[in-house]
Amino acid sequence: MSVLAHQALPEPTERDLPRAEELDHALRGASPAEVIAAALNAFGRERLAVVSSFGTESAALLKVMADVDPAIPVVFLDTGWLFEETLAYRDTLITTLGLRDVRSIKPLQETLSREDPDRELWFSDPDACCRIRKVEPLARALAPFSAWINGRKRFQGGLRADLPVVEEDGLRLKFNPFANVSREDIEAIYALAKLPPHPLVASGFLSVGCMPCTSRTAPDEDARAGRWRGRAKTECGIHTVKTS
């Protein structure tokens, strides 16, 4: 499949939004690398970002991205509640993959002091905790960009089961280059590239988020069963609340 030709794009407006359906149709059968290359060619490095949690499957997307262009900006949300192993894994992958522009974004201290002074919001109101530690920082980090790439897959189920390859996100476009991949595809990317696993995988953590809201997953459970265990919550909000 041919990659979309580069074109100079105006600042995003409501008139840009129908392009998501057009691009989704054009890229429906594209490989992850072709989707990322198409996004890069359409928007340019200065208006495109990858958002990564540096979680248990993140290295696959980052490897494919790095093969296309390792200088695409990568946004990493450092919530203040992450496992030390995740922070170390971020640094490992930066070196291993040669990532050139990883931006670690933290929540505003004044917001934390005002809304979560005792660091207990994760327990009393996890949606509010995710809002101030992930949703709001992401909106701030994406302000300079017109499009962003993430690593969600349909096989993860729940709200992700019907993922398009390209979708609207407020005034931005969101690319889901791994929408069509299988778990076996992810494993193959790790194996072929000899990618290091997240340090917590060996301990039974198949999906890793913030420390208080992440637990180990049993072999017969869905990989994301350990996220917000015992609650109806299944998403942090960055994929359910538009960023602009």
Side-chain angles (χ1 to χ4, degrees):
M1 171 180 175
S2 63
V3 174
L4 300 182
H6 177 77
Q7 54 181 313
L9 296 175
E11 289 302 311
T13 68
E14 292 289 346
R15 289 174 297 178
D16 292 323
L17 299 184
R19 296 184 61 254
E21 184 176 350
E22 177 184 340
L23 285 170
D24 181 58
H25 180 77
L27 297 170
R28 191 170 298 165
S31 70
E34 288 174 324
V35 174
I36 294 172
L40 179 62
N41 286 344
F43 289 93
R45 191 188 298 157
E46 69 281 357
R47 295 176 62 187
L48 176 70
V50 173
V51 175
S52 177
S53 66
F54 285 81
T56 56
E57 295 175 342
S58 296
L61 172 63
L62 293 170
K63 165 60 176 170
V64 176
M65 181 218 83
D67 286 346
V68 174
D69 184 350
I72 296 174
V74 177
V75 172
F76 170 69
L77 299 175
D78 185 352
T79 66
W81 271 123
L82 297 180
F83 289 90
E84 288 298 323
E85 290 88 344
T86 296
L87 299 176
Y89 192 50
R90 171 199 59 190
D91 297 341
T92 295
L93 289 183
I94 289 173
T95 300
T96 300
L97 299 176
L99 305 179
R100 299 179 191 170
D101 187 4
V102 176
R103 308 177 185 189
S104 292
I105 308 299
K106 296 184 178 183
L108 297 175
Q109 187 55 52
E110 54 263 40
T111 302
L112 296 179
S113 298
R114 182 179 66 251
E115 300 194 35
D116 192 16
D118 300 320
R119 289 174 60 85
E120 296 178 349
L121 194 59
W122 66 268
F123 180 75
S124 60
D125 191 344
D127 286 335
C129 189
C130 286
R131 173 179 54 78
I132 65 173
R133 294 178 181 275
K134 297 189 77 172
V135 178
E136 291 178 357
L138 179 62
R140 178 162 35 93
L142 290 179
F145 300 103
S146 301
W148 59 293
I149 295 168
N150 73 99
R152 291 175 300 161
K153 305 100 182 164
R154 289 177 186 154
F155 74 72
Q156 292 172 320
L159 296 177
R160 306 181 179 200
D162 297 317
L163 272 182
V165 175
V166 186
E167 60 187 314
E168 297 173 3
D169 183 41
L171 297 182
R172 296 181 183 85
L173 292 186
K174 181 169 16 176
F175 289 80
N176 307 309
F178 274 38
N180 296 319
V181 304
S182 65
R183 193 176 301 281
E184 291 73 23
D185 293 331
I186 301 292
E187 293 171 355
I189 293 172
Y190 270 79
L192 288 171
K194 296 181 171 58
L195 297 174
H198 191 291
L200 291 175
V201 170
S203 301
F205 292 88
L206 300 186
S207 179
V208 176
C210 290
M211 224 174 359
C213 300
T214 301
S215 60
R216 290 176 174 83
T217 306
D220 60 343
E221 288 185 305
D222 180 83
R224 287 179 60 83
R227 305 289 292 277
W228 305 286
R229 187 179 292 279
R231 299 179 183 265
K233 184 177 176 65
T234 60
E235 295 281 351
C236 66
I238 66 173
H239 296 298
T240 56
V241 178
K242 293 187 183 300
T243 60
S244 59

